[in-house]
Amino acid sequence: MISQFNVPSTLVFGAGASRELVPQLARIGARRVLLVTDAFMVSSGLAGRFSRDLGEAGIAVALFAGVQADPTDGNVGDGLAAYRKGGCDSVVALGGGSPIDAAKAIAVMTANAGLLGEYQGYHKVPRAGCPLVVIPTTAGTGSEVTKVAVITDTGRNVKMMMLDRHLLPQVALVDYELTLTMPPALTAHVGVDTLTHGIEAYVSRKATALTDPLALTCIRLVAEHLEAAWREPANRAAREGMMLAATLGGMAFSNSSVALVHGMSRPIGAIFHVPHGLSNAVLLPTATRFSLPGAPERYATVARTMGLCAADASAEAAGDSLVEGLAGLNARLRVPRLRDCHGVERARFDSSVEKMAADALASGSPQNNPVVPTAMEIIRLYGEAW
Ligand SMILES: [Fe+2]
């Protein structure tokens, strides 16, 4: 089997990596950047800090801080207008997965004339966009190293998944020092999202020899560091471990794929605005139990890698310990049940569940799962996660 592997051409990792922004932009030849971020990054002072650094280096900055959680086609259009108004030649993304995904879409729209919705799906973006440099502030969605962006189509109320190598940033500056102030709940949710990336990349039908080692190292690092990062936000070793896990998990799933958890998670986000990491975390134990029979040896390796069972445990016993271990991790990190997530009401859930199952299947992700579910099975799984 032939496999292709795409990552950013430059990845700078470690404490202080974000201070490489000016030299990296200078290397690319950027003169006027659009800084894509959100209101929190402005209020925290981080957007201002980077803007000042750029200004002092003679690089002009247009600020676009209008990205919302679950970024929309409207956010991308507004960002593109700001890029053109500012006469920009490049984009810098600062923040979590939402600003980074929005920035990826803005960057490709600078060079492609179609409507954003035309690029939904796999390998649909005709031309590379302007240069894109990304600075993640969470660990993480892994978006800084992936060729994937998820943007809500507000007309259809669907989270559009786009996968194309033109969505890859040129440069990722991965600086765990920016995550030292992440609050515990966010640490937990994006941390379990990272674990989901590792697990789904490893059990996916599209897993390759190039992605397996990255996925397994991601899984091991989350097992080692997530709870410490959640308990002690300033624990540098734990934050560095989680940042590395997020980076490796992103590289793994971007070149393998995600699967059922992400497929079922996006409709929850589109309809109820449950944050991406949280909706994945809520679904992970349930979807894993359903998927075990399709890849028992792979799931057993995941359980062993997380230290959830003895090295010589049978595949069946290891699979059981994995499901228990994932549910236990959620409980310790205080991840709520689906019914307890803010904004999820039973009546709307019941009336939406058929559309959610159809949208999950239409995204293509469940088709990569070890067991490919029917729409009826997805509806049942939503009910089990409730
Ligand atoms: Fe994710």
Side-chain angles (χ1 to χ4, degrees):
M1 189 179 96
I2 294 174
S3 39
Q4 191 178 131
F5 193 85
N6 304 116
V7 286
S9 54
T10 301
L11 176 58
V12 186
F13 185 93
S18 60
R19 288 195 286 272
E20 282 291 304
L21 179 60
V22 167
Q24 290 294 333
L25 286 170
R27 181 178 64 76
I28 292 169
R31 303 296 309 151
R32 301 182 76 85
V33 305
L34 181 71
L35 178 59
V36 177
T37 188
D38 59 21
F40 177 72
M41 286 292 127
V42 174
S43 65
S44 74
L46 213 51
R49 192 186 103 192
F50 284 107
S51 293
R52 266 192 308 281
D53 289 351
L54 293 171
E56 284 167 15
I59 299 173
V61 184
L63 177 68
F64 175 64
V67 180
Q68 63 193 83
D70 302 318
T72 65
D73 42 10
N75 295 159
V76 174
D78 292 346
L80 184 62
Y83 178 94
R84 291 192 173 134
K85 184 167 174 239
C88 301
D89 55 22
S90 52
V91 172
V92 173
L94 173 69
S98 296
I100 296 175
D101 279 14
K104 287 169 159 176
I106 292 165
V108 297
M109 292 305 281
T110 65
N112 290 280
L115 296 169
L116 187 62
E118 293 171 30
Y119 307 137
Q120 180 177 6
Y122 295 84
H123 313 295
K124 297 274 180 64
V125 182
R127 275 181 294 279
C130 69
L132 172 64
V133 178
V134 297
I135 306 172
T137 59
T138 65
T141 63
S143 182
E144 60 277 5
V145 291
T146 75
K147 52 191 162 188
V148 179
V150 179
I151 305 290
T152 300
D153 178 335
T154 46
R156 292 182 291 148
N157 208 14
V158 167
K159 280 194 164 192
M160 294 189 287
M161 200 277 294
M162 292 172 270
L163 184 150
D164 192 291
R165 71 189 169 81
H166 289 140
L167 290 163
L168 269 176
Q170 268 78 348
V171 181
L173 305 176
V174 186
D175 184 349
Y176 72 83
E177 288 188 333
L178 302 180
T179 70
L180 292 169
T181 53
M182 273 169 71
L186 182 62
T187 299
H189 302 163
V190 298
V192 180
D193 185 28
T194 295
L195 177 60
T196 309
H197 296 156
I199 295 175
E200 295 211 295
Y202 187 65
V203 303
S204 165
R205 289 163 182 261
K206 293 183 178 166
T208 76
L210 296 172
T211 56
D212 283 350
L214 302 174
L216 288 175
T217 306
C218 164
I219 292 164
R220 178 178 59 74
L221 287 167
V222 174
E224 274 176 31
H225 294 294
L226 175 53
E227 289 183 72
W230 176 77
R231 247 188 339 264
E232 310 156 37
N235 182 325
R236 296 176 68 88
R239 292 298 193 184
E240 184 173 20
M242 283 308 299
M243 204 68 171
L244 184 55
T247 305
L248 299 177
M251 289 193 222
F253 89 77
S254 182
N255 291 287
S256 167
S257 77
V258 287
L260 181 58
V261 178
H262 277 74
M264 289 179 59
S265 167
R266 289 183 211 106
I268 296 175
I271 294 175
F272 300 106
H273 304 291
V274 175
H276 172 80
L278 175 55
S279 58
N280 277 326
V282 161
L283 295 167
L284 182 60
T286 304
T288 301
R289 188 185 313 111
F290 171 79
S291 308
L292 282 177
E297 291 297 338
R298 290 234 146 198
Y299 280 110
T301 300
V302 173
R304 291 182 196 115
T305 302
M306 292 184 73
L308 294 170
C309 62
D312 60 355
S314 70
E316 196 187 350
D320 290 343
S321 65
L322 177 60
V323 175
E324 270 170 48
L326 295 174
L329 179 66
N330 273 1
R332 292 193 299 282
L333 296 174
R334 307 210 184 111
V335 172
R337 301 273 310 174
L338 183 52
R339 60 175 168 264
D340 297 321
C341 291
H342 181 72
V344 185
E345 324 138 48
R346 182 79 216 202
R348 186 140 186 242
F349 178 79
D350 288 341
S351 65
S352 305
V353 76
E354 276 184 37
K355 173 179 162 48
M356 289 161 61
D359 289 349
L361 281 172
S363 75
S365 298
Q367 288 78 351
N368 301 322
N369 206 54
V371 179
V372 179
T374 63
M376 285 309 295
E377 284 171 322
I378 292 180
I379 290 171
R380 176 169 61 76
L381 291 171
Y382 277 127
E384 283 175 23
W386 178 260

